[in-house]
Protein backbone atom coordinates (compact mmCIF):
# COMPACT_ATOMS: atom_id res chain seq x y z
CA UNK A 1 0.00 0.00 0.00
CA UNK A 2 2.96 2.34 0.55
CA UNK A 3 4.53 1.68 -2.86
CA UNK A 4 2.74 2.79 -6.03
CA UNK A 5 4.27 1.94 -9.40
CA UNK A 6 4.34 4.65 -12.05
CA UNK A 7 4.90 4.30 -15.77
CA UNK A 8 5.19 7.72 -17.36
CA UNK A 9 5.42 9.71 -19.48
CA UNK A 10 4.11 7.49 -22.25
CA UNK A 11 5.11 8.90 -25.64
CA UNK A 12 5.66 7.48 -29.09
CA UNK A 13 8.91 7.91 -31.03
CA UNK A 14 10.94 5.67 -33.33
CA UNK A 15 12.80 4.35 -30.28
CA UNK A 16 9.94 4.36 -27.75
CA UNK A 17 7.34 2.66 -29.91
CA UNK A 18 4.38 0.53 -28.82
CA UNK A 19 6.39 -2.67 -28.59
CA UNK A 20 8.98 -0.96 -26.40
CA UNK A 21 6.26 0.16 -23.97
CA UNK A 22 4.53 -3.22 -23.89
CA UNK A 23 7.78 -5.05 -23.14
CA UNK A 24 8.93 -2.53 -20.56
CA UNK A 25 5.55 -2.39 -18.83
CA UNK A 26 5.28 -6.17 -18.60
CA UNK A 27 8.82 -6.47 -17.27
CA UNK A 28 7.98 -3.97 -14.54
CA UNK A 29 4.72 -5.72 -13.64
CA UNK A 30 6.37 -9.13 -13.60
CA UNK A 31 9.13 -8.05 -11.23
CA UNK A 32 7.15 -5.78 -8.92
CA UNK A 33 3.57 -7.05 -8.79
CA UNK A 34 4.07 -8.53 -5.30
CA UNK A 35 5.14 -5.17 -3.88
CA UNK A 36 2.24 -2.87 -4.74
CA UNK A 37 -1.52 -2.57 -4.97
CA UNK A 38 -1.69 -0.59 -8.21
CA UNK A 39 0.17 1.08 -11.07
CA UNK A 40 -0.45 4.63 -12.27
CA UNK A 41 0.21 5.61 -15.88
CA UNK A 42 0.35 8.99 -17.57
CA UNK A 43 0.60 10.02 -21.18
CA UNK A 44 2.74 12.85 -22.52
CA UNK A 45 1.34 16.13 -21.18
CA UNK A 46 1.94 19.55 -22.70
CA UNK A 47 3.45 21.38 -19.75
CA UNK A 48 4.43 24.91 -20.71
CA UNK A 49 7.92 24.33 -19.39
CA UNK A 50 8.53 21.19 -21.46
CA UNK A 51 6.48 21.84 -24.61
CA UNK A 52 9.48 23.40 -26.35
CA UNK A 53 11.38 20.13 -25.88
CA UNK A 54 8.44 17.96 -26.96
CA UNK A 55 7.19 19.99 -29.92
CA UNK A 56 7.88 17.21 -32.44
CA UNK A 57 6.19 14.48 -30.40
CA UNK A 58 2.45 13.96 -30.72
CA UNK A 59 0.23 11.38 -29.06
CA UNK A 60 -3.25 10.90 -30.48
CA UNK A 61 -6.25 9.56 -28.60
CA UNK A 62 -6.29 6.40 -30.70
CA UNK A 63 -2.68 5.76 -29.62
CA UNK A 64 -3.63 6.21 -25.97
CA UNK A 65 -6.54 3.78 -26.29
CA UNK A 66 -4.41 1.16 -28.04
CA UNK A 67 -1.69 1.39 -25.40
CA UNK A 68 -4.22 1.42 -22.56
CA UNK A 69 -5.94 -1.72 -23.84
CA UNK A 70 -2.66 -3.60 -24.09
CA UNK A 71 -1.46 -2.35 -20.71
CA UNK A 72 -4.75 -3.49 -19.16
CA UNK A 73 -4.29 -6.99 -20.59
CA UNK A 74 -0.75 -7.14 -19.26
CA UNK A 75 -1.66 -5.83 -15.80
CA UNK A 76 -4.53 -8.29 -15.52
CA UNK A 77 -2.05 -11.15 -15.83
CA UNK A 78 -0.32 -9.89 -12.71
CA UNK A 79 -3.48 -8.78 -10.88
CA UNK A 80 -2.49 -5.09 -10.73
CA UNK A 81 -5.19 -2.41 -11.19
CA UNK A 82 -4.23 0.52 -13.46
CA UNK A 83 -5.16 4.15 -12.90
CA UNK A 84 -4.31 7.31 -14.86
CA UNK A 85 -2.73 10.48 -13.50
CA UNK A 86 -4.44 13.77 -14.43
CA UNK A 87 -5.73 12.47 -17.75
CA UNK A 88 -8.94 13.74 -19.36
CA UNK A 89 -9.34 10.67 -21.55
CA UNK A 90 -11.82 8.03 -20.32
CA UNK A 91 -10.42 4.49 -20.31
CA UNK A 92 -13.02 2.73 -18.16
CA UNK A 93 -13.83 0.32 -20.97
CA UNK A 94 -10.36 -1.15 -20.36
CA UNK A 95 -10.85 -1.21 -16.59
CA UNK A 96 -8.66 1.86 -16.05
CA UNK A 97 -9.91 4.57 -13.68
CA UNK A 98 -8.69 8.04 -12.78
CA UNK A 99 -6.13 8.17 -9.96
CA UNK A 100 -5.64 10.40 -6.99
CA UNK A 101 -1.86 10.13 -6.77
CA UNK A 102 -1.99 11.94 -3.42
CA UNK A 103 -4.90 9.89 -2.12
CA UNK A 104 -6.35 11.04 1.20
CA UNK A 105 -8.21 7.77 1.77
CA UNK A 106 -5.06 5.72 1.23
CA UNK A 107 -2.99 8.01 3.47
CA UNK A 108 -5.58 7.71 6.25
CA UNK A 109 -5.37 3.93 5.96
CA UNK A 110 -1.57 3.99 6.15
CA UNK A 111 -1.17 6.45 9.04
CA UNK A 112 -4.16 5.23 11.00
CA UNK A 113 -5.80 8.59 11.64
CA UNK A 114 -8.18 11.01 9.97
CA UNK A 115 -7.21 13.94 7.71
CA UNK A 116 -9.72 16.68 8.44
CA UNK A 117 -9.66 18.38 5.05
CA UNK A 118 -8.64 15.62 2.67
CA UNK A 119 -11.27 16.70 0.12
CA UNK A 120 -9.41 19.94 -0.55
CA UNK A 121 -8.03 19.52 -4.09
CA UNK A 122 -4.54 20.42 -5.18
CA UNK A 123 -5.75 22.11 -8.37
CA UNK A 124 -2.35 22.43 -10.03
CA UNK A 125 -3.50 20.69 -13.22
CA UNK A 126 -6.75 20.06 -14.99
CA UNK A 127 -8.17 16.59 -14.26
CA UNK A 128 -5.94 16.24 -11.19
CA UNK A 129 -7.75 14.54 -8.31
CA UNK A 130 -4.96 14.84 -5.75
CA UNK A 131 -5.52 15.99 -2.22
CA UNK A 132 -3.89 19.33 -1.35
CA UNK A 133 -0.30 18.53 -0.43
CA UNK A 134 3.20 19.83 0.10
CA UNK A 135 5.84 19.19 -2.56
CA UNK A 136 9.27 18.25 -1.30
CA UNK A 137 12.00 19.77 -3.43
CA UNK A 138 12.65 22.92 -5.41
CA UNK A 139 12.68 24.20 -8.97
CA UNK A 140 15.96 24.52 -10.86
CA UNK A 141 17.96 22.25 -8.54
CA UNK A 142 18.53 19.10 -10.64
CA UNK A 143 21.41 18.73 -13.12
CA UNK A 144 20.20 15.69 -15.10
CA UNK A 145 18.70 17.89 -17.86
CA UNK A 146 15.86 15.53 -18.79
CA UNK A 147 13.82 16.81 -21.74
CA UNK A 148 10.52 15.98 -20.04
CA UNK A 149 10.97 18.05 -16.89
CA UNK A 150 8.72 20.81 -15.58
CA UNK A 151 10.95 21.46 -12.54
CA UNK A 152 13.90 22.88 -14.45
CA UNK A 153 13.75 25.97 -16.65
CA UNK A 154 17.27 27.36 -16.51
CA UNK A 155 20.22 24.96 -16.70
CA UNK A 156 22.68 27.55 -15.39
CA UNK A 157 20.52 28.39 -12.38
CA UNK A 158 20.02 24.68 -11.69
CA UNK A 159 23.77 24.09 -11.82
CA UNK A 160 24.44 26.97 -9.43
CA UNK A 161 21.74 25.81 -7.01
CA UNK A 162 23.12 22.29 -7.12
CA UNK A 163 26.53 23.59 -6.10
CA UNK A 164 24.95 25.31 -3.09
CA UNK A 165 23.58 22.04 -1.72
CA UNK A 166 24.78 21.31 1.82
CA UNK A 167 23.92 17.84 3.21
CA UNK A 168 23.88 19.35 6.71
CA UNK A 169 21.41 22.09 5.79
CA UNK A 170 17.67 21.53 6.50
CA UNK A 171 16.82 22.87 3.05
CA UNK A 172 17.68 21.58 -0.40
CA UNK A 173 19.82 24.45 -1.64
CA UNK A 174 21.77 26.96 0.44
CA UNK A 175 21.35 27.73 4.12
CA UNK A 176 18.16 28.15 6.14
CA UNK A 177 17.34 31.71 7.20
CA UNK A 178 14.27 32.42 9.34
CA UNK A 179 13.91 35.94 7.93
CA UNK A 180 13.56 34.63 4.37
CA UNK A 181 10.89 32.13 5.38
CA UNK A 182 8.77 34.85 7.01
CA UNK A 183 8.80 36.86 3.78
CA UNK A 184 7.42 34.02 1.67
CA UNK A 185 3.70 33.64 1.11
CA UNK A 186 3.67 30.07 -0.19
CA UNK A 187 4.97 28.25 2.86
CA UNK A 188 2.72 25.34 3.73
CA UNK A 189 2.58 23.05 6.71
CA UNK A 190 0.68 20.31 8.50
CA UNK A 191 -0.84 20.53 11.96
CA UNK A 192 -1.17 17.36 14.02
CA UNK A 193 -3.42 17.46 17.07
CA UNK A 194 -2.08 16.26 20.41
CA UNK A 195 -4.08 13.04 20.37
CA UNK A 196 -2.66 12.15 16.92
CA UNK A 197 -6.18 11.35 15.76
CA UNK A 198 -6.37 13.95 13.01
CA UNK A 199 -4.02 15.81 10.68
CA UNK A 200 -4.89 19.14 9.11
CA UNK A 201 -3.32 20.81 6.09
CA UNK A 202 -3.15 24.59 5.98
CA UNK A 203 -1.43 27.46 4.19
CA UNK A 204 0.51 29.86 6.39
Amino acid sequence: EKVILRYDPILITDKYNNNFHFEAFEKMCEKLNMYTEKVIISFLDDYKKVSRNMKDIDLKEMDMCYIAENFANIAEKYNIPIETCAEGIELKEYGINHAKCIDGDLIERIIGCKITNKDKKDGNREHCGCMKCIDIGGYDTCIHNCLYCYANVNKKVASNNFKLHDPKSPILSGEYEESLVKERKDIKSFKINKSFETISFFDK
Side-chain angles (χ1 to χ4, degrees), residues 88-124:
I89 187 172
E90 286 292 344
L91 300 170
K92 287 184 179 179
E93 63 179 296
Y94 310 116
I96 299 175
N97 296 314
H98 296 287
K100 294 186 290 184
C101 300
I102 310 299
D103 187 339
D105 295 329
L106 175 61
I107 294 171
E108 282 184 339
R109 177 154 61 97
I110 290 171
I111 64 179
C113 66
K114 293 291 184 182
I115 301 172
T116 58
N117 43 5
K118 67 178 181 180
D119 293 328
K120 186 176 182 181
K121 300 298 183 184
D122 191 65
N124 282 334

Side-chain angles (χ1 to χ4, degrees), residues 15-134:
K15 179 179 180 180
Y16 301 108
N17 54 32
N18 289 331
N19 287 334
F20 171 91
H21 288 300
F22 301 153
E23 291 175 10
F25 185 75
E26 177 148 19
K27 184 177 181 180
M28 183 178 77
C29 290
E30 180 184 9
K31 290 183 177 294
L32 302 175
N33 70 88
M34 297 299 293
Y35 304 101
T36 188
E37 294 181 350
K38 64 180 175 181
V39 57
I40 295 178
I41 65 172
S42 179
F43 298 100
L44 178 68
D45 290 312
D46 188 20
Y47 293 108
K48 290 181 180 179
K49 293 180 180 178
V50 300
S51 59
R52 62 182 180 274
N53 295 331
M54 299 288 155
K55 59 185 179 181
D56 296 324
I57 299 177
D58 186 27
L59 194 63
K60 297 179 174 60
E61 185 169 320
M62 60 181 295
D63 298 321
M64 297 182 193
C65 291
Y66 180 68
I67 292 170
E69 182 178 13
N70 281 271
F71 272 24
N73 291 335
I74 293 169
E76 187 178 12
K77 289 168 54 178
Y78 301 97
N79 197 30
I80 309 178
I82 303 180
E83 296 177 353
T84 57
C85 170
E87 296 292 345
I89 187 172
E90 286 292 344
L91 300 170
K92 287 184 179 179
E93 63 179 296
Y94 310 116
I96 299 175
N97 296 314
H98 296 287
K100 294 186 290 184
C101 300
I102 310 299
D103 187 339
D105 295 329
L106 175 61
I107 294 171
E108 282 184 339
R109 177 154 61 97
I110 290 171
I111 64 179
C113 66
K114 293 291 184 182
I115 301 172
T116 58
N117 43 5
K118 67 178 181 180
D119 293 328
K120 186 176 182 181
K121 300 298 183 184
D122 191 65
N124 282 334
R125 295 161 55 193
E126 188 179 7
H127 308 299
C128 177
C130 286
M131 181 187 77
K132 189 75 174 175
C133 61
I134 299 171

